[in-house]
Amino acid sequence: MVVGVTPDQPARVLKVAAKHAALLGAPLVIVNVDVMRFVTYEDPDGIVHSAPLDMDIDTGSDDLASVTQHATQLLEGQNVRWSVQQLVGDPAIALKKVADQTDARIIVVGTRRRGFGESVREFFTGSVAARLAHRQLRPVLVVPLGEPVADDEDVVWGEERAS
């Protein structure tokens, strides 16, 4: 089982993935994708070389450490084997690649956060869950991050909710 995780993501996504991995008796591969880097080339032996989109920004190692620490805290005492990997580039492509390499049964991702900025980002980059669902054969489990909204209730974004 493969799960896409970001450092600031609610614990719910990882908890749901771990629960399903334990139920299936499958190992859990936790994947963090550094979207601020891109693949420049891949050696024949599989070593991937990458470069930053912006030379002044390099958060990848911090993100990996944060995701690893978070997973260690959440999964301690759980009956699931797990590992953490960091890839670079497009999250949907990276998650698909790991799922192919590990012959994963399911890919788990969280929904995007609510808010104007996230809506704009998704408009330009698209939904990771939707792209995964259309570009590979494995089931995609999408874990909602926000509070549910009733069918007849208006969606309230960001700061409007606090008012």
Side-chain angles (χ1 to χ4, degrees):
M1 178 169 285
V2 171
V3 59
V5 177
T6 61
D8 58 346
Q9 189 176 49
R12 184 173 187 207
V13 176
L14 189 52
K15 286 180 180 180
V16 168
K19 178 180 177 181
H20 283 80
L23 288 170
L24 292 171
L28 180 63
V29 180
I30 302 163
V31 179
N32 173 253
V33 182
D34 185 350
V35 297
M36 297 307 294
R37 297 185 69 83
F38 65 96
V39 175
T40 54
Y41 65 96
E42 188 170 342
D43 289 338
D45 60 357
I47 296 174
V48 175
H49 300 270
S50 65
L53 293 175
D54 183 341
M55 297 302 278
D56 295 330
I57 299 175
D58 186 22
T59 60
S61 58
D62 293 342
D63 287 355
L64 181 60
S66 177
V67 166
T68 302
Q69 179 183 17
H70 187 66
T72 301
Q73 292 169 348
L74 282 177
L75 301 177
E76 185 176 346
Q78 298 288 324
N79 187 25
V80 64
R81 290 177 291 129
W82 61 275
S83 62
V84 178
Q85 291 186 25
Q86 185 174 51
L87 298 175
V88 299
D90 181 291
I93 293 171
L95 291 170
K96 179 187 180 307
K97 181 177 181 177
V98 172
D100 289 343
Q101 290 171 342
T102 61
D103 197 25
R105 296 181 187 182
I106 297 174
I107 300 173
V108 181
V109 294
T111 57
R112 70 169 174 81
R113 293 182 185 273
R114 291 183 181 169
F116 179 73
E118 286 298 310
S119 297
V120 170
R121 183 200 59 76
E122 188 173 80
F123 175 78
F124 286 107
T125 63
S127 163
V128 171
R131 290 189 355 255
L132 281 168
H134 293 288
R135 294 192 172 125
Q136 51 84 48
L137 298 175
R138 286 171 182 79
V140 178
L141 175 60
V142 182
V143 180
L145 297 183
E147 297 174 24
V149 177
D151 291 339
D152 60 345
E153 183 181 329
D154 289 335
V155 176
V156 180
W157 303 101
E159 293 80 40
E160 295 174 357
R161 184 178 288 283
S163 316

